[in-house]
Amino acid sequence: MVNLPIDPSEAGGAPKIGGDPTKPGKISQPDASSFEAYKEGAPGANAPEASQISPMDLASKTGISTTPTFSTLLAQANTTQDTLGDVQKNLNTPNLKLKKSQTDLLNTKLNNANDYLTAANQKLGAKVPEQTQIPKSANPITKFVGLVTDGQNKLVEVQNQIKNLNAKPGYLQPGDMLLIQVKLAQAQQEIEYSSVLLSKTIDSLKQILNIQI
């Protein structure tokens, strides 16, 4: 006796693969609570707005830990002025040539430093000197010397104003003094970077020319 093959569609225990095309499947809705939890845990979800950043927050970012006084602000301005002097000396190096990438970077750093110094002058109530007039056709080195001169002039006004305010206790609030300290520190960082960049460039120049400048 020959057994007939069993029709798979009639086998009660056989599992069905896929859904019934005549019956649309039920689409599950996303869990709203899970989405809210994801938003709360997303990077930057709870980050403070820029307007909420206090002078104390800025000070911590720049590594400043001391409470500013007129004496410390004056010393800070003197140090920044000395570093600018080093930059100016390096810019006056004979046969100094900069690559375009170095020129762009130095231009950014010196302009940033001047912006920070302007902010310090304004917060102190000091005079902001006019910019040095440099012809548009001037070479980059000449323009950088002009930026350094502008920075030096601003620091002179900062130093004079600090000395004047030292005789007027209570004229500046602690928060204002901290902000001035931060701006001077930011300017100092940009100027120090410029000084290191120029020093390395000059060292390379010495090796190429094999001479002492």
Side-chain angles (χ1 to χ4, degrees):
M1 180 177 179
V2 179
N3 293 328
L4 296 176
I6 299 174
D7 186 352
S9 63
E10 296 178 356
K16 293 183 179 181
I17 301 176
D20 189 344
T22 62
K23 297 180 180 180
K26 183 179 179 181
I27 301 175
S28 60
Q29 297 296 327
D31 187 353
S33 61
S34 299
F35 178 70
E36 292 298 328
Y38 170 78
K39 286 201 305 180
E40 292 178 0
N46 298 320
E49 297 180 0
S51 59
Q52 297 176 345
I53 298 177
S54 66
M56 189 67 71
D57 296 328
L58 288 174
S60 62
K61 288 183 178 181
T62 53
I64 297 174
S65 59
T66 59
T67 302
T69 63
F70 285 113
S71 296
T72 59
L73 290 178
L74 185 59
Q76 196 176 1
N78 291 338
T79 301
T80 305
Q81 190 175 38
D82 290 341
T83 309
L84 262 181
D86 294 337
V87 173
Q88 188 168 22
K89 179 181 177 181
N90 288 334
L91 287 172
N92 290 328
T93 301
N95 302 318
L96 177 62
K97 293 182 180 180
L98 299 172
K99 299 178 181 178
K100 185 180 184 304
S101 59
Q102 295 172 326
T103 299
D104 293 341
L105 188 56
L106 198 58
N107 182 66
T108 298
K109 293 297 181 181
L110 291 178
N111 273 293
N112 286 346
N114 270 282
D115 289 342
Y116 291 134
L117 291 176
T118 297
N121 282 55
Q122 292 173 341
K123 182 58 67 174
L124 269 169
K127 176 184 176 183
V128 179
E130 295 183 1
Q131 292 184 348
T132 303
Q133 298 299 318
I134 302 294
K136 293 183 178 180
S137 58
N139 60 58
I141 301 296
T142 302
K143 293 179 180 179
F144 294 152
V145 171
L147 288 172
V148 170
T149 301
D150 290 341
Q152 295 278 23
N153 292 338
K154 291 173 185 176
L155 284 168
V156 169
E157 295 296 334
V158 165
Q159 292 166 331
N160 291 337
Q161 184 70 349
I162 290 174
K163 293 175 183 177
N164 292 334
L165 295 180
N166 192 27
K168 301 177 182 179
Y171 183 85
L172 283 178
Q173 297 298 320
D176 293 333
M177 295 184 69
L178 187 59
L179 188 58
I180 293 167
Q181 185 185 41
V182 168
K183 293 303 177 183
L184 289 175
Q186 290 174 323
Q188 175 73 8
Q189 289 177 351
E190 300 293 89
I191 295 168
E192 285 179 349
Y193 189 101
S194 302
S195 180
V196 171
L197 174 63
L198 286 171
S199 295
K200 290 184 177 180
T201 303
I202 293 172
D203 288 341
S204 299
L205 179 63
K206 289 179 180 180
Q207 293 177 0
I208 293 174
L209 299 179
N210 195 24
I211 60 173
Q212 290 294 328
I213 298 178

